[in-house]
Amino acid sequence: HVLDLGSADGSFIMDRLGKRENIGTLLGIDFDAASVKNANATYGSEKIVFQQGDLESDKIEEVLSTFCDEKGIAGFNVINLSMVILHLQNPQKLLRIVRKFAVKNAVVIIKDIDDGFNVAYPDTDGDFEKAIKMCADSPFSGFRESGRQIPHLLRKTGFRNVKLIKCGVNTMGMD
């Protein structure tokens, strides 16, 4: 059973899952109603459902509980948060809720961003540095140093076996 928070149009999670027949259920939640509509049109089925929702709303726990009750499941085996943490005012609140719905031995995958992990050298004209600054200055790009905080947030909310896999941009040695 899969929970995908920040599902957008569903393509990220579905590309990774493919047409696996062993998916029990999948619930995707995203803020953008148009993306949710597209996700349901492309991937929706009896087992795969995308819903519009605000992950910081007090109602999110109720949404997850209702889904689990309707599907007759105890919780989720795989929980994916894709580019979500950087947009939250209180990520710890959502992670506490997520933990309640993670079954024993569940895997939680968080894909987020941290511009501090990115290195572009040489950047003779400062183009990479300018791009990073533009992203940081945009009110829509979120807190772009959230990646380094995620292991601490997970441990603080009771998750164990936390691993940080750094996948930043690194152009050192390239021309």
Side-chain angles (χ1 to χ4, degrees), residues 8 34 83:
M83 303 304 283

Side-chain angles (χ1 to χ4, degrees), residues 143-158:
F143 178 56
R144 298 190 57 94
E145 295 179 357
S146 61
R148 67 188 78 181
Q149 297 178 359
I150 292 170
H152 173 74
L153 287 170
L154 288 167
R155 287 185 188 101
K156 196 171 179 180
T157 53

Side-chain angles (χ1 to χ4, degrees), residues 155-166:
R155 287 185 188 101
K156 196 171 179 180
T157 53
F159 288 96
R160 302 290 174 252
N161 299 324
V162 175
K163 295 177 186 160
L164 174 65
I165 300 171
K166 183 185 135 320

Side-chain angles (χ1 to χ4, degrees), residues 28-161:
I29 301 176
D30 196 86
F31 188 78
D32 184 63
S35 293
V36 170
K37 183 178 178 181
N38 289 337
N40 278 312
T42 305
Y43 306 109
S45 70
E46 176 86 16
K47 297 190 308 185
I48 299 172
V49 177
F50 294 90
Q51 294 182 11
Q52 193 275 331
D54 181 352
L55 298 176
E56 291 195 285
S57 165
D58 290 334
K59 297 179 182 180
I60 196 67
E61 188 169 354
E62 182 181 327
V63 168
L64 297 176
S65 183
T66 299
F67 181 84
C68 290
D69 290 346
E70 287 175 357
K71 298 298 182 182
I73 62 173
F76 299 94
N77 307 89
V78 176
I79 300 172
N80 182 62
L81 290 91
S82 183
M83 303 304 283
V84 169
I85 301 294
L86 76 155
H87 293 293
L88 300 178
Q89 294 296 315
N90 185 357
Q92 197 170 344
K93 178 182 173 186
L94 179 63
L95 291 173
R96 279 192 190 108
I97 293 168
V98 163
R99 189 165 180 271
K100 290 180 186 179
F101 291 91
V103 298
K104 186 177 180 179
N105 297 321
V107 174
V108 177
I109 303 162
I110 300 177
K111 175 185 174 193
D112 218 273
I113 197 161
D114 196 315
D115 288 334
F117 288 140
N118 298 326
V119 177
Y121 182 84
D123 186 21
T124 311
D125 297 327
D127 294 331
F128 187 80
E129 187 176 327
K130 288 175 195 169
I132 295 296
K133 184 169 177 10
M134 283 177 16
C135 289
D137 290 344
S138 169
F140 303 108
S141 62
F143 178 56
R144 298 190 57 94
E145 295 179 357
S146 61
R148 67 188 78 181
Q149 297 178 359
I150 292 170
H152 173 74
L153 287 170
L154 288 167
R155 287 185 188 101
K156 196 171 179 180
T157 53
F159 288 96
R160 302 290 174 252
N161 299 324

